[in-house]
Amino acid sequence: MRAVVIESYGDNSVVNVVDVARPAPQAGELLVKVRAAGVNPIDWKIRGGVGQRMGMTLPIHLGGEISGTVEQVGAGVAGFSVGDAVFGIIKDGGFADYAIAPAADMVRIPADLDFIAAAAIPLGALTAWQALFDVAKLTRGQRLLIAGASGGVGSLAVQIAKTAGAHVTAIASGRNADFVRSLGADTFIDYTAQPFEQVARDMDVVFDTVGGDTFQRAFGTLKHGGFLVTSVEFPTEEDGRRGVGVGRVFCKPNAAQLTAIRDLVEAGKLQPHVATVLTLDEVKEAFALSEGGRTRGKIVLGISQ
């Protein structure tokens, strides 16, 4: 089978699509025929060297977000049959014709959703869910600011927060204003037109998906006792002495949460937005687009249909 593999860390020159042996599922696992795979910043960050800090061992099979059909069921697995359409996040190996997935982390894809759209959901939606509810403890009626609201995570976060009854202020570039408002944002801030911290005030929660200078400036938008959660930065002790809470979300597989997310999709309350669909052989182009940071919605690799 084909798989995207790196044997050293670096830029896109280290990324290769190679032929490897098809894996076999062990107890508690599923072999999934991958129909589509979501592309996320963590993929090219692993390629660039973050994999070493994460304890990964070269060679690394890239890809952690998939949708597909169950090809084989490992021993002791209940609730899944060959041919079931599933989606979820896995540790590695998602950019391939077949991938191994822990059965406990997989969920059936939403009804009437194709594999491309399904692959745009798990990592982004789980990151948003865990950031807002598990880390920041967002509750109904609170004022939420989302930085990077047009991206793969931010666009899902806007919708999830609205279902929870939050008042959402969204930050993105002006060209994405109509798109972000269509997601349900109550207030839109064009960060290219004015410093967002001069507009947003007294926020209960900030969800930062951008990092860098945006992360630092976002503290100025919080009310005393508010909470800033980031999916990209690593808060310091100094950040924790600003009179507000601060934390980082580390997305983890969670079948119960993914099931709740699927229910929102099926109820018409959450819609993934796919920006670009490329092939497995175009994975380097996908990484380049993702690194550019200007994608509206999600980049997905269509692997087989």
Side-chain angles (χ1 to χ4, degrees):
M1 70 172 196
R2 300 171 302 155
V4 176
V5 180
I6 61 169
E7 295 188 353
S8 62
Y9 296 112
D11 58 19
N12 268 343
S13 65
V14 305
V15 178
N16 293 290
V17 180
V18 300
D19 289 324
V20 299
R22 191 172 83 176
Q26 303 301 308
E29 295 179 337
L30 301 172
L31 177 67
V32 178
K33 180 177 177 61
V34 182
R35 303 303 184 94
V39 176
N40 299 283
I42 189 60
D43 299 314
W44 48 264
K45 289 180 180 179
I46 289 172
R47 178 216 66 197
V50 169
Q52 187 173 18
R53 297 201 297 272
M54 294 171 61
M56 304 178 80
T57 302
L58 293 167
I60 296 173
H61 291 227
L62 296 175
E65 179 180 38
I66 62 172
S67 67
T69 51
V70 175
E71 183 78 8
Q72 190 176 346
V73 179
V77 173
F80 290 102
S81 301
V82 172
D84 286 346
V86 297
F87 71 154
I89 57 177
I90 58 178
K91 181 180 179 182
D92 53 28
F95 297 157
D97 292 317
Y98 296 89
I100 293 294
D105 298 337
M106 291 291 107
V107 172
R108 287 183 176 81
I109 70 173
D112 300 323
L113 205 65
D114 62 31
F115 290 109
I116 295 293
I121 296 173
L123 185 62
L126 283 171
T127 298
W129 188 285
Q130 292 168 16
L132 296 176
F133 304 132
D134 295 348
V135 180
K137 310 299 183 185
L138 181 74
T139 59
R140 180 173 295 277
Q142 286 193 315
R143 292 168 54 80
L144 168 69
L145 178 67
I146 299 176
S150 63
V153 175
S155 60
L156 294 171
V158 172
Q159 298 173 76
I160 289 170
K162 289 305 299 178
T163 68
H167 180 282
V168 177
T169 298
I171 304 172
S173 67
R175 67 186 183 89
N176 290 317
D178 290 342
F179 169 64
V180 172
R181 288 192 177 102
S182 76
L183 301 175
D186 298 288
T187 304
F188 176 81
I189 299 175
D190 177 3
Y191 73 87
T192 68
Q194 57 192 328
F196 68 85
E197 68 273 24
Q198 294 181 7
V199 182
R201 288 285 190 273
D202 297 321
M203 295 293 160
D204 295 291
V205 175
V206 172
F207 181 27
D208 163 49
T209 72
V210 178
D213 183 57
T214 296
F215 169 75
Q216 294 297 331
R217 290 157 55 198
F219 281 98
T221 69
L222 285 163
K223 71 179 187 181
H224 185 77
F227 198 97
L228 191 158
V229 56
T230 178
S231 62
V232 288
E233 285 292 328
F234 291 88
T236 65
E237 289 185 11
E238 183 179 348
D239 292 327
R241 293 193 290 266
R242 297 175 182 247
V244 297
V246 59
R248 192 189 197 282
V249 60
F250 294 91
C251 184
K252 298 178 180 178
N254 188 308
Q257 292 176 348
L258 190 54
T259 298
I261 289 164
R262 181 193 64 193
D263 292 345
L264 290 179
V265 176
E266 292 182 339
K269 297 179 179 179
L270 181 65
Q271 179 181 355
H273 292 268
V274 177
T276 306
V277 180
L278 298 169
T279 67
L280 191 65
D281 290 326
E282 295 173 312
V283 64
K284 293 183 181 182
E285 182 180 343
F287 284 178
L289 285 172
S290 180
E291 287 184 84
R294 297 181 62 83
T295 300
R296 178 187 297 175
K298 194 66 170 279
I299 301 167
V300 175
L301 298 180
I303 297 176
S304 66
Q305 296 299 313

